[in-house]
């Protein structure tokens, strides 16, 4: 212990007798008010920033969802196009074979 | 309202009010206004950021249009008396200060002073533990105190202080989620305004409860909710005061007795002079009701907290052994730091409450965790047919007069009698009269309700009866006018019939079509799929009609021509066969069965007494909620199971690691707390995904 027992005791007595008197002065009250108001303002600022961060995160998630949906749509279109090409190719071959058969 | 669009994507928009600041009241107003706009799915308004996030499915223009039209001062919006906002703010602030204080202390105060504060703060924990031991119990509070004291004895004040800090945070979070769930539920419930019959100048007028002033005279009949405090002026009734006193035996009320808001008339009727207008106390009453119902903790929940207490001695012994064997107090501490209780005690109630809240998002209000458990485990679901499987609004298709009477006059008379009783068939008659523009001034004397049979009253000297064929012909011995029999026999058999008799003679038959809900067959199939082995229908209809409906809907079993007491008896029989039962009903006559069942589900449009005794309430227009309820409760049970295994597994592992000396006390404490927080937060997440 850095203070030692006596140090603590002395500090306690001092705070007990003069600390209370000091706190009762107008200046101390004023200072406390200023500090409290700063504290409350800080709380509001922090909470506001948390709110903003959350909303921004919501924006990002919403955009991400849209992006994924878009990608899925594009991929689907590609897939459909590829499938169509295969079917058309097969049709063409079948038509060719039919033409040969009749010829 | 002037606002700025901050972000936009498909079906979602974020706007900011351009003014300098926004009050909480304004935020609430904007939120409720936007929620009422067509096509809007979900809205969150944050008064601190002045932002509103709107998710919508309708056209974008209508949302923007609604925003443009909004004005804080002039737009009328129905905002409930209490919204969760102030409560939420209060807790956020508490959490902020709790954390800020700890950070400040660590930064500014010298270590010695901090230790002194820790020492002082530990006193309440020690006192609590000593009290607990004095009662001969070793519970969680003992373990908390022991770990704090041991840590301090070992000179590790930091750990002692962080244990207390985590305990406080846990307490606050638990309190918060709890209050928030209760508040949400109450908020939704207080938005429904009931109507009541007010007697003025010899007639009775249906009036919204909030317009009734002290001194007004109201009339409440069997099955009706007494909406306001008052004294009985005339009449005699037995009143169920369970919502006030918890006592289920009805109390007899006569002239001069005091009656209380929220109680229900079981039998008889009474005329009441109102002593206190609505508003004051209504919200508090709802809160009290929910809190009462919460005492009905689910078995699983109760088991979890008992288990938490039961594990305490093992932790203590384990720590003692570790110390005795190794002589290393740090190892003992590592074991003490891990207690199963925080996690079990936090995660279980949070899971249940968030499930209740999720239910109310789906417009299902649940009165306690116990009923969710019953809903998950039940094998039998019993429906009362009218109003649940059939449309909420049956229609009168035809009025067949007898003895040369006028059809419209008969309908007028029937409506006049039926309008006093909360029953779906009665509503149909009143509606039919209204459609034909038949005014019905009260010409009859006192009306008397014979449960499940009919209504009796008198017009002039003549006795007027309305009700089932059993009631009219067998109980009351009514005769059919001469030449009326062929007509009586030719009535369409597929419809329900309501018989009206005047002066002991049949006067008319009202044919009522009780159409089965379109989705009913799908719902029955869905219920089977979700694990109900028996779907049962009870109805007062004839056997033939019931059989046809049951076959069409795929119902496993039905009982026709049942009386209310039979319904409850049926459920008792199921219980005796060892099955858990859910009962779905809406009328006065369902009340005994609803309270007999493991979980009674009432339709919100039904009689007040049904809602009062029911454990779960769903809205009238959507039976899909039954499926949602089952899924929700099953998911809750799964989550509870997971929580259980997770908590036991992780913490046991931590103890082993601590014992093996692989982890120091600080690390086990941190991991333990982190896992507790994780499981708590996870338990708050919605159980059902959007797709369901």
């Amino acid at each position: 212990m850095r203070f030692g027992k006596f140090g603590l005791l002395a500090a306690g007595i001092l705070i007990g007798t003069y600390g209370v008197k000091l706190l009762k002065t107008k200046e101390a009250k004023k200072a406390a008010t200023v500090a409290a108001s700063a504290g409350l303002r800080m709380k509001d600022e922090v909470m506001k920033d948390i709110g903003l961060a959350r909303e921004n995160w919501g924006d990002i998630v919403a955009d991400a969802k849209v992006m994924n949906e878009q990608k899925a749509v594009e991929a689907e279109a590609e897939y459909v196009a590829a499938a169509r090409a295969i079917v058309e190719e097969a049709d063409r071959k079948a038509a060719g074979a039919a033409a040969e058969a009749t010829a | 309202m002037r606002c700025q669009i901050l972000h936009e994507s498909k079906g979602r928009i974020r706007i900011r009010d351009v003014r300098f600041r926004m009050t909480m009241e304004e935020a609430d107003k904007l939120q409720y206004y936007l929620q009422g706009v067509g096509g809007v799915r979900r809205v969150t308004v944050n008064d601190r950021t002045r932002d509103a996030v709107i998710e919508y499915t309708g056209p974008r223009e209508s949302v923007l249009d609604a925003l443009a039209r909004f004005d804080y001062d002039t737009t009328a919006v129905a905002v409930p008396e209490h919204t969760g906002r102030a409560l939420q703010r209060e807790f956020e602030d508490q959490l902020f200060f709790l954390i800020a204080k700890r950070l400040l202390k660590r930064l500014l105060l010298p270590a010695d002073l901090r230790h002194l504060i820790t020492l002082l703060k530990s006193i309440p924990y020690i006192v609590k533990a000593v009290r607990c031991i004095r009662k001969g119990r070793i519970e969680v509070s003992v373990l908390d105190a022991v770990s704090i004291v041991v840590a301090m004895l070992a000179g590790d004040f930091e750990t002692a202080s962080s244990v207390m800090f985590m305990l406080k945070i846990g307490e606050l979070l638990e309190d918060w989620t709890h209050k928030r769930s209760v508040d949400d539920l109450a908020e939704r419930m207080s938005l429904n305004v009931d109507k009541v019959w007010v007697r003025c100048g010899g007639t009775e007028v249906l009036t919204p409860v909030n317009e009734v002033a002290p001194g007004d005279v109201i009339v409440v009949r069997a099955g009706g909710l007494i909406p306001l405090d008052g004294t009985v002026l005339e009449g005699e009734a037995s009143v169920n005061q369970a919502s006030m006193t918890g006592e289920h035996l009805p109390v007899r009320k006569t002239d001069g007795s005091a009656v209380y808001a929220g109680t229900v008339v079981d039998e008889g009727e009474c005329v009441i002079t109102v002593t206190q207008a609505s508003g004051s106390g209504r919200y508090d009453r709802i809160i009290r009701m929910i809190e009462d119902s919460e005492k009905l903790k689910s078995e699983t929940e109760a088991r979890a907290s008992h288990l938490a207490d039961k594990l305490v001695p093992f932790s203590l012994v384990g720590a003692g052994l570790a110390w005795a064997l190794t002589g290393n107090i740090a190892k003992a501490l590592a074991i003490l730091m891990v207690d199963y209780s925080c996690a079990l005690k936090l995660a279980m109630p949070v899971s249940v409450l968030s499930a209740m809240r999720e239910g109310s998002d789906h417009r299902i209000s649940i009165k306690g965790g116990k009923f969710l458990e019953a809903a998950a485990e039940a094998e039998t679901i019993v429906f009362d047919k009218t109003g649940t499987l059939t449309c909420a609004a049956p229609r009168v298709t035809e009025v067949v007069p007898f003895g040369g009477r006028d059809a419209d006059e008969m309908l007028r008379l029937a409506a006049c009698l039926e309008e006093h009783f909360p029953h779906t068939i009665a509503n149909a008659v009143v509606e039919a009269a209204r459609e034909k523009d038949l005014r019905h001034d009260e010409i009859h004397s006192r009306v008397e309700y014979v449960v499940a049979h009919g209504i009796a009253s008198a017009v002039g000297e003549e006795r007027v009866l309305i009700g089932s064929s059993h009631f009219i012909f067998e109980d009351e011995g009514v005769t059919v006018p001469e030449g009326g029999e062929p007509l009586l026999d030719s009535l369409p058999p597929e419809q329900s019939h309501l018989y009206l008799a005047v002066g002991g003679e049949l006067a008319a038959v009202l044919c009522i079509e009780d159409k089965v809900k379109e989705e009913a067959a799908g719902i029955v199939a869905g219920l089977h799929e979700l694990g109900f082995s028996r779907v049962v229908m009870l109805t007062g209809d004839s056997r033939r009609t019931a059989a046809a409906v049951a076959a069409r809907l795929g119902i496993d079993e039905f009982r026709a021509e049942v009386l209310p007491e039979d319904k409850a008896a049926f459920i008792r029989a199921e219980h005796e066969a060892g099955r858990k039962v859910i009962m779905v009903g809406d009328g006065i006559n369902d009340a005994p069965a609803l309270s007999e069942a493991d979980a009674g589900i009432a339709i919100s449009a039904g009689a007040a007494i049904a809602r009062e005794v029911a454990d779960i309430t769903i809205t009238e227009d959507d039976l899909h909620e039954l499926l949602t309820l089952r899924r929700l409760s099953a998911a809750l049970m799964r989550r509870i199971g997971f929580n259980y295994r997770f908590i036991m597994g992780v913490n046991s592992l931590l103890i082993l690691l601590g014992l093996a000396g692989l982890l120091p006390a600080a690390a086990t404490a941190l991991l333990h707390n982190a896992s507790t927080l994780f499981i708590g937060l996870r338990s708050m997440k919605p159980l059902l995904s959007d797709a369901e």
Side-chain angles (χ1 to χ4, degrees):
Chain A
M1 285 199 181
R2 266 182 296 152
F3 282 122
K5 278 181 191 160
F6 290 105
L8 268 180
L9 187 70
I13 291 170
L14 270 177
I15 291 172
T17 47
Y18 295 102
V20 175
K21 266 189 188 163
L22 194 73
L23 279 175
K24 277 185 179 162
T25 60
K26 251 187 201 167
E27 287 80 2
K29 208 168 178 182
K30 175 107 194 208
T33 311
V34 169
S37 104
L40 287 174
R41 263 205 315 277
M42 190 176 84
K43 177 207 79 191
D44 281 334
E45 280 304 309
V46 170
M47 293 315 288
K48 186 181 168 183
D49 285 344
I50 292 176
L52 278 176
R54 267 190 181 159
E55 283 164 6
N56 281 318
W57 177 244
D59 292 351
I60 290 169
V61 170
D63 278 343
K65 276 186 188 158
V66 170
M67 195 186 273
N68 282 349
E69 179 59 28
Q70 237 166 21
K71 277 192 180 148
V73 166
E74 278 165 24
E76 190 184 23
E78 260 173 49
Y79 177 80
V80 168
R84 185 169 294 144
I86 292 171
V87 170
E88 276 170 6
E89 177 69 22
D91 282 352
R92 210 176 310 119
K93 269 189 191 156
E100 260 172 45
T102 48
Chain B
M1 166 186 168
R2 289 168 64 84
C3 57
Q4 185 187 353
I5 297 178
L6 290 184
H7 179 269
E8 236 188 317
S9 68
K10 195 167 164 275
R12 182 182 181 277
I13 186 169
R14 174 152 77 101
I15 56 121
R16 176 169 296 170
D17 187 345
V18 294
R19 296 174 317 156
F20 183 67
R21 55 189 198 155
M22 182 192 265
T23 64
M24 289 204 271
E25 288 73 27
E26 285 168 342
D28 276 335
K29 203 168 180 189
L30 181 60
Q31 172 140 5
Y32 279 86
Y33 168 76
L34 287 172
Q35 258 157 12
V37 173
V40 171
R41 219 161 52 90
R42 191 174 358 190
V43 184
T44 32
V45 179
N46 184 340
D47 52 292
R48 291 203 234 244
T49 57
R50 313 192 309 281
D51 288 0
V53 177
I54 307 159
E55 287 170 45
Y56 56 93
T57 46
R60 174 177 179 266
E61 289 70 37
S62 71
V63 174
L64 296 184
D65 204 41
L67 277 172
R69 261 183 290 126
F70 180 75
D71 184 285
Y72 289 107
D73 300 322
T74 57
T75 313
V77 186
V79 178
E81 202 183 330
H82 285 249
T83 64
R85 200 176 288 275
L87 193 73
Q88 166 117 10
R89 170 65 52 93
E90 197 186 304
F91 276 106
E92 274 174 13
D93 288 358
Q94 278 183 32
L95 194 63
F96 174 86
F97 284 125
L98 206 62
I99 296 171
K101 231 165 66 186
R102 184 167 170 80
L103 289 179
L104 273 183
K105 241 183 346 204
R106 298 205 109 172
L107 282 175
L108 299 181
L109 294 186
D112 287 336
L113 205 52
R114 279 212 313 270
H115 295 171
L116 189 68
I117 292 173
T118 306
L119 193 64
L120 289 177
K121 275 193 174 164
S122 69
I123 293 173
Y125 290 94
I126 297 168
V127 169
K128 209 172 151 197
V130 168
R131 274 205 199 118
C132 187
I133 292 172
R134 270 218 193 131
K135 279 187 209 147
R137 282 200 297 256
I138 294 185
E139 283 175 5
V140 173
S141 53
V142 177
L143 186 62
D144 292 342
V146 169
S147 36
I148 293 166
V149 171
V150 169
M152 287 193 302
L153 286 178
D156 190 353
F157 282 84
E158 293 304 333
T159 307
S161 147
S162 66
V163 168
M164 284 189 280
F165 175 68
M166 289 309 293
L167 283 175
K168 255 198 199 131
I169 295 247
E171 242 167 66
L172 186 67
L173 280 180
E174 196 176 336
D175 202 28
W176 182 1
T177 39
H178 184 190
K179 275 209 178 124
R180 205 171 108 180
S181 308
V182 170
D183 204 64
D184 274 3
L185 216 57
E187 180 183 330
R188 246 159 281 223
M189 289 169 80
S190 66
L191 273 180
N192 306 325
V193 175
D194 289 327
K195 285 187 173 170
V196 63
W197 288 99
V198 174
R199 183 181 278 184
C200 57
T203 58
E204 289 175 16
V205 187
L206 201 57
T207 317
V209 170
N210 49 5
E211 287 170 23
V212 177
D216 282 354
V217 175
I218 60 173
V219 185
V220 184
R221 298 192 172 80
L225 179 84
I226 298 173
L228 301 160
D229 289 352
T231 49
V232 177
L233 191 65
E234 56 188 75
E236 200 175 324
S238 65
V239 175
N240 184 331
Q241 304 200 115
S243 65
M244 289 274 307
T245 58
E247 173 58 59
H248 279 278
L249 280 181
V251 182
R252 197 106 210 122
K253 300 278 182 180
T254 51
D255 298 10
S257 327
V259 287
Y260 307 101
T263 56
V264 175
V265 176
D266 239 8
E267 254 185 294
E269 72 168 66
C270 53
V271 180
I272 299 163
T273 312
V274 175
T275 51
Q276 196 180 11
S278 88
S280 55
R282 181 176 155 71
Y283 176 82
D284 299 324
R285 208 176 66 234
I286 294 175
I287 289 274
R288 201 167 55 227
M289 195 197 86
I290 299 170
E291 278 173 350
D292 281 349
S293 68
E294 268 184 21
K295 288 182 193 132
L296 310 165
K297 268 192 180 173
S298 80
E299 262 175 56
T300 325
E301 216 177 326
R303 222 183 297 139
S305 66
H306 277 303
L307 184 79
D309 285 335
K310 274 201 189 133
L311 287 171
V312 171
F314 293 101
S315 292
L316 289 176
V317 169
L321 273 179
W323 185 49
L325 293 179
T326 63
N328 185 345
I329 203 158
K331 274 191 187 174
L333 204 54
I335 294 173
L336 284 177
M337 285 306 118
V338 177
D339 77 88
Y340 298 91
S341 66
C342 305
L344 285 171
K345 279 199 164 153
L346 180 70
M348 298 305 175
V350 163
S351 299
V352 170
L353 282 167
S354 79
M356 285 167 70
R357 206 156 66 83
E358 196 171 342
S360 74
D361 282 342
H362 290 278
R363 294 183 300 171
I364 305 169
S365 46
I366 302 154
K367 288 188 189 163
K370 193 174 144 193
F371 309 118
L372 274 167
E373 196 174 346
E377 290 171 357
E379 293 166 51
T380 307
I381 182 162
V382 181
F383 287 93
D384 165 63
K385 184 180 137 246
T386 307
T388 58
L389 289 172
T390 59
C391 287
R395 277 180 338 108
V396 174
T397 48
E398 205 185 346
V399 179
V400 184
F402 283 78
R405 291 183 165 85
D406 178 50
D408 281 354
E409 274 316 305
M410 290 304 107
L411 180 57
R412 189 197 304 268
L413 182 58
C416 197
L417 292 172
E418 291 280 16
E419 71 179 338
H420 298 285
F421 293 99
H423 189 269
T424 46
I425 300 287
N427 293 345
V429 175
V430 175
E431 182 60 19
R434 207 186 55 78
E435 264 172 28
K436 289 205 170 178
D437 228 3
L438 295 171
R439 278 179 46 81
H440 40 89
D441 295 324
E442 305 283 1
I443 47 172
H444 53 78
S445 64
R446 217 174 83 84
V447 273
E448 162 196 342
Y449 183 60
V450 187
V451 170
H453 292 293
I455 297 168
S457 183
V459 174
E461 292 298 300
E462 284 185 312
R463 188 163 160 78
V464 184
L465 304 162
I466 188 163
S468 65
S469 96
H470 176 84
F471 171 62
I472 298 288
F473 297 117
E474 286 165 38
D475 292 355
E476 296 285 337
V478 167
T479 56
V480 180
E482 214 157 296
E485 280 87 356
L487 186 59
L488 192 61
D489 291 336
S490 70
L491 291 169
E494 66 275 11
Q495 295 182 335
S496 308
H497 302 139
L498 193 63
Y499 298 83
L500 176 70
V502 179
E505 196 184 66
L506 185 66
V509 177
L510 286 82
C511 299
I512 290 162
E513 186 185 37
D514 197 9
K515 230 171 106 190
V516 171
K517 279 182 189 163
E518 271 174 35
E519 76 265 24
I523 297 294
V524 172
L527 289 170
H528 279 131
E529 227 167 81
L530 289 172
F532 283 100
S533 55
R534 287 156 61 79
V535 180
V536 183
M537 176 178 86
L538 303 179
T539 171
D541 284 353
S542 70
R543 192 161 187 85
R544 204 154 53 97
T545 323
V549 172
R552 187 139 56 92
L553 296 182
I555 280 169
D556 302 308
E557 199 179 328
F558 70 88
R559 293 271 194 285
E561 290 161 29
V562 288
L563 295 173
E565 53 270 28
D566 299 342
K567 293 182 186 174
F570 178 82
I571 287 168
R572 264 194 298 278
E574 283 292 300
H575 277 163
E576 273 157 27
R579 285 185 278 261
K580 282 205 171 186
V581 188
I582 297 182
M583 165 82 199
V584 190
D586 75 326
I588 305 179
N589 51 22
D590 296 327
L594 285 172
S595 45
E596 187 72 39
D598 296 291
I601 302 180
I603 309 285
S604 63
I609 191 162
R611 270 177 318 202
E612 194 70 32
V613 300
D615 312 311
I616 298 171
T617 316
I618 61 174
T619 47
E620 81 225 80
D621 47 357
D622 201 354
L623 281 180
H624 286 108
E625 285 166 13
L626 286 175
L627 302 183
T628 310
L629 175 69
R630 176 74 162 192
R631 283 201 198 98
L632 183 71
S633 52
L636 172 67
M637 289 301 128
R638 274 200 302 277
R639 173 172 290 177
I640 287 180
F642 171 84
N643 285 354
Y644 210 75
R645 286 191 299 275
F646 180 86
I647 292 166
M648 300 303 280
V650 167
N651 290 319
S652 303
L653 186 71
L654 286 178
I655 288 186
L656 286 179
L657 289 176
L659 207 55
L662 291 171
L663 282 179
T668 48
L670 183 72
L671 283 174
H672 164 70
N673 287 329
S675 74
T676 302
L677 203 62
F678 165 77
I679 203 80
L681 289 175
R682 189 182 178 276
S683 298
M684 271 191 242
K685 285 206 313 197
L687 285 158
L688 301 177
S689 62
D690 283 348
E692 283 174 303

